[in-house]
Amino acid sequence: MAPDPWLSLHGAACQVAQEVAEKIQERNRCQRAGENPAKLNVIIRSSLQNLKEKIDQLKDLLLRAVSTHQITQMEGDRRQNLVDDLLTRQKQLQASYKNEGTEPDVIRSSLMTGGIKRGVTNPWLLEESEETRGLGFDDLRQQQRRIIEEQDAGLDALSSIISRQKQMGQEIGNELDEQNEIIDDLTNLVENTDDKLRNQTRHVKMVDKKSTSCVPVLEPLAVDTSRAAWREQWNNHPFMSKNVTH
């Protein structure tokens, strides 16, 4: 597997920063000993320029890799942090070269771990971790590659979990759609039943109204019939028959 050009360039930039720190420290010792550091200053200025150019190349390559999706967003953020750390180291080296800061004694872990601990007079005098001690740049790149692979595996597992949750959400949505259809059918059935009930109620009211309007017509007939029957009974009474005879 071919090494990543960006990581190779980053390793070279770290090596240049280490060499610059060594030269600045040597220059400061010469000054304290009363020797002429002119030659060392020329080397330091050239190395600082070389470091600046490599950092610019790292930024350009990173921008191109992110814009063309050659690396993941997480890896892009990680590499951006490495570039920012190199920029910080460059400013510290520039300040030390101009005697505006502390002497940058070289410890490689200061290039690999970001940040400066408070209370440490020399930010470059940091103890290297056991994990990286004795490893070369190729070994460090392989270690970083393993870490990235582990992170990718974790992201794949997380993606699988999210996919299952998405599928569950879709199934729940389908079930809700079916339940909504059932509710709509029940609503239509209730509305139809309510319409039929209102129609039957109106029909009953109309029949009741017609029945009520027929009562005054039937009462006179009933009276007339009773009077005729009474007159017939009166006429047929024996007393009336005797009186008629006489």
Side-chain angles (χ1 to χ4, degrees):
M1 183 176 179
D4 190 322
W6 193 93
L7 294 177
S8 299
L9 181 60
H10 176 263
C14 292
Q15 183 65 36
V16 171
Q18 182 177 353
E19 292 174 356
V20 170
E22 290 176 348
K23 294 300 181 181
I24 291 176
Q25 188 179 29
E26 183 179 355
R27 191 271 317 261
N28 292 343
R29 286 198 299 267
C30 290
Q31 288 178 341
R32 287 193 295 269
E35 300 176 0
N36 186 6
K39 184 177 180 180
L40 289 173
N41 285 331
V42 173
I43 297 175
I44 292 171
R45 283 196 299 270
S46 176
S47 298
L48 285 174
Q49 181 63 29
N50 186 18
L51 177 61
K52 180 179 181 301
E53 293 174 356
K54 290 185 182 301
I55 292 176
D56 291 338
Q57 292 177 11
L58 286 172
K59 290 192 291 185
D60 293 339
L61 290 175
L62 178 58
L63 179 61
R64 189 179 301 113
V66 171
S67 60
T68 57
H69 303 287
Q70 296 178 8
I71 58 176
T72 64
Q73 184 63 42
M74 181 177 294
E75 175 62 13
D77 294 339
R78 189 185 72 84
R79 294 188 179 188
Q80 183 61 52
N81 290 334
L82 294 177
V83 172
D84 293 340
D85 186 67
L86 272 177
L87 286 171
T88 301
R89 298 293 181 264
Q90 180 197 12
K91 293 178 180 178
Q92 291 173 347
L93 291 170
Q94 191 72 34
S96 297
Y97 169 69
K98 295 179 179 179
N99 292 324
E100 297 174 357
T102 57
E103 291 186 2
D105 294 321
V106 178
I107 296 295
R108 185 182 53 189
S109 61
S110 63
L111 294 174
M112 302 304 297
T113 58
I116 300 175
K117 294 183 178 180
R118 293 182 179 180
V120 179
T121 57
N122 193 338
W124 295 75
L125 291 176
L126 300 175
E127 184 178 359
E128 186 175 3
S129 65
E130 293 292 338
E131 296 179 354
T132 59
R133 183 172 299 171
L135 298 179
F137 286 108
D138 292 336
D139 296 331
L140 288 173
R141 283 197 295 268
Q142 292 178 1
Q143 185 182 48
Q144 291 176 351
R145 190 176 296 111
R146 286 195 299 269
I147 294 174
I148 294 172
E149 290 175 354
E150 292 175 358
Q151 292 175 346
D152 290 341
L155 290 175
D156 291 338
L158 179 61
S159 176
S160 178
I161 294 173
I162 294 175
S163 297
R164 289 197 297 270
Q165 291 179 343
K166 179 181 179 181
Q167 183 178 0
M168 291 174 59
Q170 291 176 347
E171 292 176 355
I172 292 173
N174 294 334
E175 183 68 22
L176 289 175
D177 291 338
E178 294 178 359
Q179 294 294 331
N180 288 333
E181 291 178 359
I182 294 174
I183 292 174
D184 292 339
D185 294 339
L186 289 175
T187 301
N188 294 332
L189 180 60
V190 170
E191 290 177 353
N192 293 334
T193 303
D194 188 53
D195 292 339
K196 292 180 180 180
L197 182 60
R198 284 196 294 267
N199 292 334
Q200 293 296 329
T201 302
R202 286 196 299 269
H203 182 68
V204 170
K205 288 182 179 180
M206 291 175 62
V207 171
D208 183 65
K209 184 176 180 181
K210 290 180 180 179
S211 300
T212 304
S213 63
C214 292
V215 173
V217 177
L218 294 175
E219 285 181 354
L221 293 175
V223 172
D224 292 342
T225 303
S226 62
R227 287 179 180 176
W230 178 82
R231 187 178 295 107
E232 182 178 359
Q233 292 177 0
W234 176 261
N235 291 333
N236 292 331
H237 196 275
F239 176 77
M240 292 301 296
S241 299
K242 291 179 182 181
N243 291 334
V244 172
T245 304
H246 291 89

